[in-house]
Amino acid sequence: MITLVPQPAAKVRRPRASLHVLRITLILHAAFVIAQPVAAGYFLSGNVDAMTSVHSTVGGTIWMIALLQTVAAACYTLAGRGRIWPALVSVLLVVAEFVQLTFGYLQNFAVHVPLGTAIVGTVCWMTVWSFRRTARLSRREAKR
């Protein structure tokens, strides 16, 4: 009679530290993009200083945070062996936020407002996703 001895499962490398860094940058990014419509609302309610002192300053900062998020997402993808799409979406957010910044300074609100809404939704969605169980899976595990 042949007895089969179970083999230990191959150790799968999962994103850990890179996921924590990505989460931190996403939380920071989400806080800043959520502050933007609030600052615009203060401006529309009559606080003229809200546009120059808060909204435009935070807008320039958000673009830089998106660059940091892209680096963190690339580390999550490459070093942590996480999924590829967070890095790709982060690159798209950098481009979208640069366009957003440009159209904001041009005062083209037909592009600025809907694009801002899409940015807020995307960053908040990515932030929530980063705390889900599936964010901890490696690319190999996610394919199953």
Side-chain angles (χ1 to χ4, degrees):
M1 178 171 195
I2 299 174
T3 58
L4 297 175
V5 179
Q7 297 293 328
K11 188 170 182 173
V12 177
R13 188 170 177 191
R14 291 182 179 152
R16 287 197 177 104
S18 59
L19 179 59
H20 291 303
V21 172
L22 181 60
R23 285 175 177 166
I24 290 167
T25 57
L26 281 167
I27 290 170
L28 184 65
H29 200 178
F32 275 73
V33 297
I34 290 170
Q36 284 297 84
V38 173
Y42 278 118
F43 172 74
L44 292 174
S45 67
N47 185 350
V48 179
D49 293 335
M51 189 57 66
T52 56
S53 64
V54 178
H55 191 75
S56 63
T57 305
V58 171
T61 306
I62 287 174
W63 186 67
M64 290 180 226
I65 293 171
L67 287 172
L68 291 174
Q69 177 184 319
T70 302
V71 171
C75 289
Y76 168 81
T77 300
L78 299 174
R81 311 229 176 169
R83 296 192 185 158
I84 296 171
W85 70 262
L88 297 176
V89 172
S90 295
V91 169
L92 288 175
L93 279 170
V94 169
V95 173
E97 289 175 3
F98 183 76
V99 170
Q100 175 74 349
L101 191 65
T102 303
F103 278 104
Y105 281 118
L106 293 174
Q107 295 183 355
N108 184 339
F109 302 121
V111 175
H112 188 71
V113 173
L115 183 57
T117 304
I119 289 169
V120 170
T122 303
V123 172
C124 290
W125 169 71
M126 283 184 75
T127 304
V128 169
W129 167 83
S130 72
F131 286 93
R132 295 181 55 104
R133 184 186 64 79
T134 58
R136 291 185 297 242
L137 299 177
S138 68
R139 277 193 295 271
R140 184 178 298 159
E141 292 173 315
K143 288 182 181 177
R144 292 182 197 165

